[in-house]
Amino acid sequence: MAGKNLYDLLGVNKSASDKEIKQAYRRLARKYHPDVNAGDKDAESKFKEVNAAYEVLSDADKRKKYDKYGDKWQYADQFEEAERQQAQYRQYSPGGGATYHFGGDIGGMDSIFEELFGGGRTRGFSRRSQPRRGQDLESPVEVTLEEAYHGTSRTISLQMETACSACKGTGMIQNLPCSACRGTGVVPDIKRLEVKIPAGVATGSRVRIAGKGQPSYGGGPSGDLYLKITVRPHAKFERHGDNLHVSVPVPLATAVLGGEVQVPTPKGKLALKIPAETQNGKSFRLKGQGMPHLGKSERGDIVAKVNVVLPTELSDKEKELFRQLSEIRPA
Ligand SMILES: [Zn+2]
């Protein structure tokens, strides 16, 4: 029956109502009924065709699928599932998953037909004459500022695809879409991979891991994996490019008389000498103690901002000394 339009078989047009379809069917069923056409092979096959057409067009759900997918209407669920899965792959998947970027040649219903039923006689991946490079994958990775400072590594899970073993990647078993992969020829495959995250990454950095993307089907090179970095905000350090700004508490006496203070850095504390009469809010630059420049040996700076801490819970003696001081130096 393939190739014959079901509406034509019943002699109705595509917009025919349920009633018109029913009437057309009754008329033709009577006409070709074996009881009135004994021994007529043509009439018998016509009768079967008319019945089969009516079975589809009298059922609202089947008719809808037929209108959309034609002769392949029985695979509508598989088409839709394949389409749904592809749409899902295109979306960003949070929680360590990866995004599968489809190439420009996949999309829309036509290409799914093409995927499932093939333009030529060969099907699945062998259909392609040119080996295609595997798709790039992207995986979000969140690191702490300390990890970004020193560089780190992660084991990430990638949602990849692998050729379906049931149909050997062809998508078809005995001319029907494979049920294991729903006709797509590929099944999801979770791959774990240890990746290095270089020192100096920042939020928005894309770290390329060459050749660790989706493998190619048909002998082409694999795609690349991109790590999409987010650096978590830090309680102490504020990052400006490769410079780290940090607030340093300085006792009043040290600010007034000068002395040494401890400046926090991601690799521990550094001593900083400050001069006498250092004002509150003054910044000191510790050259080359900041974040590494990604991919280079230079580093940014630490910018240490003085935060003078006034004494509290003064003793009577201390209060007396401040009183004397205020008499010597009235405001
Ligand atoms: Zn399969």
Side-chain angles (χ1 to χ4, degrees):
M1 205 171 69
K4 285 191 196 171
N5 184 300
L6 301 187
Y7 291 99
D8 290 347
L9 276 172
L10 292 184
V12 295
N13 60 41
K14 246 191 121 176
S15 57
S17 68
D18 290 350
K19 200 179 159 193
E20 285 168 332
I21 286 172
K22 198 176 210 171
Q23 284 170 344
Y25 165 69
R26 282 193 175 151
R27 199 181 63 237
L28 292 169
R30 271 198 297 273
K31 185 175 167 189
Y32 296 117
H33 200 283
D35 288 355
V36 295
N37 296 280
D40 185 340
K41 286 281 170 206
D42 279 355
E44 192 188 321
S45 72
K46 208 75 171 135
F47 183 71
K48 281 181 185 163
E49 284 180 350
V50 165
N51 270 295
Y54 183 65
E55 197 204 311
V56 175
L57 297 186
S58 63
D59 181 310
D61 182 50
K62 289 178 184 173
R63 185 179 175 185
K64 216 169 89 189
K65 288 174 177 170
Y66 178 75
D67 286 346
K68 195 166 173 193
Y69 300 105
D71 285 345
K72 317 271 191 329
W73 69 270
Q74 282 161 299
Y75 310 123
D77 292 345
Q78 276 128 319
F79 289 133
E80 270 151 27
E81 177 64 16
E83 199 176 29
R84 192 188 62 75
Q85 287 190 351
Q86 295 191 355
Q88 202 176 34
Y89 277 126
R90 280 188 216 106
Q91 280 173 9
Y92 172 74
S93 57
T99 313
Y100 180 32
H101 301 282
F102 275 85
D105 58 339
I106 298 177
M109 217 48 237
D110 287 349
S111 61
I112 292 175
F113 267 85
E114 168 83 357
E115 282 291 301
L116 293 185
F117 295 96
R121 285 298 94 193
T122 50
R123 292 194 170 103
F125 302 110
S126 57
R127 180 164 56 82
R128 303 182 185 283
S129 50
Q130 291 281 324
R132 223 166 36 128
R133 184 176 167 275
Q135 300 293 333
D136 291 341
L137 293 174
E138 191 175 82
S139 183
V141 176
E142 198 180 76
V143 298
T144 63
L145 187 92
E146 284 85 354
E147 287 176 317
Y149 183 90
H150 295 288
T152 186
S153 65
R154 278 282 191 288
T155 303
I156 57 171
S157 295
L158 290 174
Q159 193 181 335
M160 318 256 292
E161 287 188 335
T162 188
C164 172
S165 58
C167 62
K168 299 185 172 59
T170 61
M172 305 290 285
I173 294 177
Q174 293 177 341
N175 286 328
L176 289 174
C178 167
S179 59
C181 62
R182 297 170 201 275
T184 58
V186 291
V187 288
D189 182 26
I190 304 295
K191 201 173 161 190
R192 287 169 76 78
L193 187 70
E194 165 114 8
V195 292
K196 284 217 172 338
I197 295 153
V201 290
T203 293
S205 295
R206 270 162 64 85
V207 177
R208 178 169 168 264
I209 314 278
K212 294 295 180 188
Q214 185 68 34
S216 162
Y217 301 107
S222 290
D224 297 331
L225 168 65
Y226 287 90
L227 307 178
K228 195 165 174 278
I229 305 291
T230 302
V231 180
R232 274 202 287 275
H234 196 279
K236 256 186 212 156
F237 301 104
E238 207 176 286
R239 186 171 179 178
H240 296 263
D242 290 326
N243 295 335
L244 291 176
H245 291 227
V246 64
S247 171
V248 182
V250 178
L252 177 62
T254 312
V256 172
L257 304 173
E260 201 176 89
V261 293
Q262 298 295 312
V263 178
T265 81
K267 59 172 181 188
K269 292 193 166 172
L270 281 177
L272 170 71
K273 277 203 159 58
I274 61 167
E277 297 176 17
T278 292
Q279 299 297 308
N280 186 39
K282 181 168 171 57
S283 288
F284 294 90
R285 194 169 280 265
L286 286 75
K287 279 264 174 209
Q289 299 293 339
M291 298 297 289
H293 294 309
L294 183 58
K296 293 178 188 162
S297 56
E298 304 96 82
R299 287 176 170 272
D301 304 328
I302 294 245
V303 179
K305 191 176 176 188
V306 169
N307 175 30
V308 176
V309 181
L310 300 179
T312 55
E313 296 172 358
L314 298 178
S315 66
D316 287 348
K317 191 186 173 192
E318 285 168 326
K319 283 181 192 161
E320 179 52 31
L321 287 169
F322 273 106
R323 212 168 284 128
Q324 288 177 23
L325 184 63
S326 72
E327 278 161 18
I328 304 165
R329 282 184 74 109

